[in-house]
């Protein structure tokens, strides 16, 4: 089909929207390693997880075999407020780059949370409500997950307690106010409101926090308050499952025009948007039906895939959560204050870790000034002000398109534009003022936290 027939935006109709989430694990020969109980070193049973997580979500978490999970009607109705999201052909960016490559991006920023996080937030809040709970606790880094969850909780009438990484709490006061407007309570982490927070503060006075610290605090509050459970915005299998809606819509939109991508690119913090975007494509790859180049992009300041170790580790700094086998920098690794808050996590989804380990995908680490260069070019050509996290994917999409310019290859590149950057203007200001730096951890920094990995599952 000639390019002229491909519209600037490909939308699906409501009828064409996916009605079930796709569980990529069902098609994996090597399943992701199970979560372990840190005390016994044995795989966690459902009963051990239900004090922390909602029952239905525990089932989804542990199910490596069911291919499709029907999306409940209530969630489908909520999805219709902001989905389907458009798949955009980046004609203007292509022209600016002078590349023969065809670039598409799936834009997930068109909701108040400003990111894809709402796809899983509504699902998790829904199952909490269905279980008759009073509320949920969570962590948030950059603030997108906390915002998404507070929106979902407001919609369903649930209480929402958010532990927000301190650096973001201070840099993004407006993000905090959005959450409070939706009715959430927001505490900067580490805080003195929890045992684990006080311990972290004593050990690292003046720390600006990390997702790992905030997770420890939120889990403690959930387990100590009856009627509360903890919910997590990334990393877990259940989150990747909910986010598969991104990939299913992308695939349906491409199929409508007979387009087969060559390269699929996504930024990777805990791996949820990437896991969701690639799900149906990776499924085809695993089943031997098609092949795609799949690239995870992470910040050079927090390079879990490219410089991490594949091992069992804690998901949180406080070491109270289950152990997950993943590419990790060590749960005591506190990344430098990179502006892509949503990518500052020491570990990576165990599903994606297994796929990366088995050679089904690649990873690249990029430095933040080059990420903001890409963000600026994208904003000026495509009009959308991208989130710093998303701009990691833009960087590599541009790099790949420039390679095509050299080779003359007419590759089709699809990348995930996970969100917008309106709350990241302090970062843009630093970039515009020429004050942005590229901190890259030394091998010694990483070795120090790797040395503290728990000795289990070896
Ligand atoms: C949270 C977030 C990410 C990273 O999280 P993943 O779980 O790796 O997808 C990326 N982009 C945006 C806009 C985010 O809010």
């Amino acid at each position: 089909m000639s390019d002229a027939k491909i519209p600037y935006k490909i939308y699906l109709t409501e009828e064409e929207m996916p009605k079930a989430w796709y569980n990529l694990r069902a098609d994996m020969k090597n399943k992701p390693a199970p979560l372990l109980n840190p005390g016994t070193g044995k795989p966690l049973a459902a009963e051990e997880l239900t004090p922390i997580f909602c029952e239905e979500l525990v089932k989804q978490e542990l199910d490596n075999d069911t291919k499709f999970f029907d999306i409940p009607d209530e969630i489908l109705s909520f999805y219709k407020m902001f989905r389907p999201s458009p798949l955009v052909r980046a004609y203007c960016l292509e022209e600016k780059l002078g590349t023969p490559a065809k670039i598409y991006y799936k834009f997930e920023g068109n909701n108040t949370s400003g990111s894809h996080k709402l796809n899983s937030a509504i699902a998790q809040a829904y199952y909490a409500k269905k279980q008759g709970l009073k509320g949920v606790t969570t962590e948030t880094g950059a603030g997108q997950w906390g915002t998404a969850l507070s929106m979902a909780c407001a919609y369903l009438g649930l209480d929402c307690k958010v532990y927000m990484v301190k650096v973001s709490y201070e840099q993004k006061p407006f993000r905090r106010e959005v959450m409070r407007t939706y009715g959430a309570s927001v505490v900067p982490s580490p805080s003195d409101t929890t045992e684990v927070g006080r311990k972290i503060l004593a050990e690292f006075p003046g720390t600006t926090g990390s997702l790992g610290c905030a997770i420890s605090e939120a889990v403690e509050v959930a387990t100590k308050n009856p009627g509360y459970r903890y919910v997590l915005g990334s990393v877990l299998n259940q989150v990747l499952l909910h986010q598969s809606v991104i990939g299913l819509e992308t695939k349906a939109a491409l199929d409508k025009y007979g387009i087969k991508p060559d390269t699929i690119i996504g930024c990777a913090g805990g791996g949820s948007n990437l896991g969701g975007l690639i799900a149906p494509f990776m499924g085809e790859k695993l089943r031997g039906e098609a092949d795609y180049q799949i690239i995870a992009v992470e910040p050079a300041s927090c390079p879990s895939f490219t410089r991490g170790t594949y091992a069992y580790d804690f998901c949180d700094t406080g070491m109270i959560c289950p152990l997950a086998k993943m590419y990790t920098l060590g749960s005591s690794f506190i990344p430098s204050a990179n502006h892509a808050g949503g990518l500052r996590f020491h570990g990576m989804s165990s599903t994606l870790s297994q796929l990366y380990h088995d050679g089904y995908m690649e990873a690249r680490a990029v430095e933040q000034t080059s990420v903001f260069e890409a963000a600026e070019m994208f904003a000026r050509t495509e009009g959308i002000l991208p989130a710093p996290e998303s701009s990691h994917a833009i960087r590599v999409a541009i790099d790949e398109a420039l390679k095509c310019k050299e080779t003359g290859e007419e590759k089709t590149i699809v990348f995930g534009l996970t969100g917008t950057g309106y709350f990241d203007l302090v970062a843009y200001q630093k970039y515009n003022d020429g004050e942005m730096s590229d901190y890259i951890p030394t091998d010694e920094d990483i070795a120090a936290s790797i040395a503290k990995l728990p000795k289990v599952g070896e």
Side-chain angles (χ1 to χ4, degrees):
M1 185 173 296
S2 92
D3 274 7
K5 290 189 186 144
I6 294 171
Y8 186 81
K9 283 181 184 168
I10 306 177
Y11 275 106
L12 300 176
T13 63
E14 276 186 15
E15 287 67 41
E16 290 167 328
M17 282 172 68
K19 304 285 183 295
W21 293 302
Y22 165 59
N23 182 7
L24 178 58
R25 286 167 284 159
D27 280 314
M28 290 170 69
K29 266 196 221 88
N30 297 333
K31 305 293 183 192
L35 294 170
L36 299 186
N37 178 321
T40 63
K42 297 250 156 57
L44 276 165
E47 314 82 80
E48 296 173 274
L49 285 167
T50 46
I52 307 176
F53 299 111
C54 304
E55 278 157 30
E56 199 61 34
L57 293 167
V58 168
K59 276 190 208 148
Q60 295 180 354
E61 189 62 33
L62 299 178
D63 191 331
N64 286 337
D65 304 305
T66 305
K67 243 185 202 184
F68 290 98
F69 286 82
D70 286 339
I71 306 175
D73 284 342
E74 293 88 335
I75 299 177
L76 275 177
S77 309
F78 188 85
Y79 275 174
K80 283 176 190 168
M81 290 200 270
F82 64 105
R83 311 201 66 82
S85 73
L87 182 72
V88 186
R89 173 76 183 265
Y91 282 118
C92 304
L93 179 64
E94 288 170 18
E95 197 182 308
K96 172 80 181 173
L97 294 170
T99 176
K102 300 171 176 62
I103 308 174
Y104 295 84
Y105 58 90
K106 179 72 167 163
F107 180 45
E108 290 290 320
N110 223 346
N111 67 75
T112 299
S113 80
S115 82
H116 64 286
K117 300 259 183 6
L118 199 52
N119 299 328
S120 184
I122 186 60
Q124 297 193 46
Y126 168 81
Y127 291 117
K129 180 78 183 176
K130 209 175 143 211
Q131 195 176 321
L133 298 175
K134 257 194 272 181
V136 290
T137 71
T138 199
E139 81 299 330
T140 197
Q144 289 94 321
W145 168 245
T147 309
L149 189 68
S150 52
M151 290 170 73
C153 286
Y155 182 74
L156 296 167
L158 280 171
D159 184 39
C160 180
K161 298 186 197 301
V162 179
Y163 282 81
M164 185 171 188
V165 177
K166 193 177 278 169
V167 60
S168 306
Y169 184 91
E170 285 161 4
Q171 276 185 0
K172 300 182 180 184
F174 297 142
R175 183 60 92 179
R176 176 176 86 212
E177 292 316 314
V178 177
M179 286 185 256
R180 292 179 60 207
T181 302
Y182 281 94
S185 66
V186 188
V187 179
S189 165
S191 76
D192 58 9
T193 65
T194 64
E195 231 166 81
V196 64
R198 290 189 289 274
K199 211 169 108 192
I200 292 166
L201 282 173
E203 197 178 340
F204 305 98
T207 173
T208 52
S210 70
L211 274 178
C213 297
I215 293 173
S216 302
E217 292 204 273
V219 170
E220 182 182 320
V221 173
T223 49
K224 286 187 176 166
N225 288 287
Y228 282 80
R229 290 294 184 281
Y230 166 70
V231 294
L232 180 59
S234 183
V235 184
L236 296 176
N237 294 328
Q238 55 187 277
V239 186
L240 268 72
L241 175 70
H242 307 146
Q243 294 296 357
S244 68
V245 70
I246 303 173
L248 293 166
E249 279 187 13
T250 301
K251 181 128 196 345
L254 291 171
D255 286 349
K256 235 173 147 165
Y257 287 88
I259 305 160
K260 190 185 164 295
D262 299 293
T263 302
I264 304 169
I265 301 167
C267 62
S272 76
N273 88 82
L274 180 65
L277 173 67
I278 65 174
F281 303 99
M282 185 60 89
E284 289 186 319
K285 193 164 166 157
L286 288 164
R287 297 189 302 268
E289 297 164 8
D291 197 16
Y292 304 98
Q293 179 189 32
I294 293 172
I295 310 175
V297 191
E298 58 188 15
S301 61
C302 194
S304 337
F305 267 142
T306 52
R307 294 175 68 198
T309 298
Y310 189 39
Y312 268 103
D313 193 10
F314 289 94
C315 293
D316 63 323
T317 315
M319 305 186 183
I320 57 179
C321 285
L323 297 166
K325 189 172 181 189
M326 56 187 175
Y327 278 84
T328 179
L329 296 163
S331 65
S332 63
F333 181 82
I334 296 193
S336 68
N338 180 289
H339 289 290
L343 304 183
R344 292 182 74 208
F345 183 64
H346 65 272
M348 187 56 68
S349 136
S350 55
T351 298
L352 292 189
S353 291
Q354 184 67 50
L355 291 166
Y356 179 67
H357 192 70
D358 291 341
Y360 286 104
M361 51 190 277
E362 318 167 12
R364 308 233 176 113
V366 292
E367 293 176 20
Q368 79 173 336
T369 45
S370 77
V371 165
F372 275 81
E373 266 166 39
E376 181 191 81
M377 178 189 266
F378 185 81
R380 291 181 186 182
T381 50
E382 290 292 318
I384 296 171
L385 184 76
E389 292 88 349
S390 324
S391 305
H392 286 68
I394 300 176
R395 173 74 268 165
V396 170
I398 290 177
D399 291 345
E400 290 300 304
L402 289 174
K403 275 186 211 160
C404 291
K405 190 174 173 176
E406 274 169 32
T407 61
E409 266 181 292
E410 295 185 18
K411 268 193 189 169
T412 296
I413 299 169
V414 174
F415 73 89
L417 186 69
T418 50
T420 48
Y422 301 113
F423 289 100
D424 301 285
L425 294 172
V426 171
Y428 276 97
Q429 182 183 16
K430 284 247 163 66
Y431 176 72
N432 291 332
D433 288 343
E435 286 171 3
M436 184 167 275
S437 55
D438 288 317
Y439 180 80
I440 300 174
T442 63
D443 288 342
E444 290 72 34
D445 291 339
I446 294 176
S449 54
I450 290 297
K452 293 186 202 157
L453 286 180
K455 304 273 175 284
V456 288
E458 285 174 344

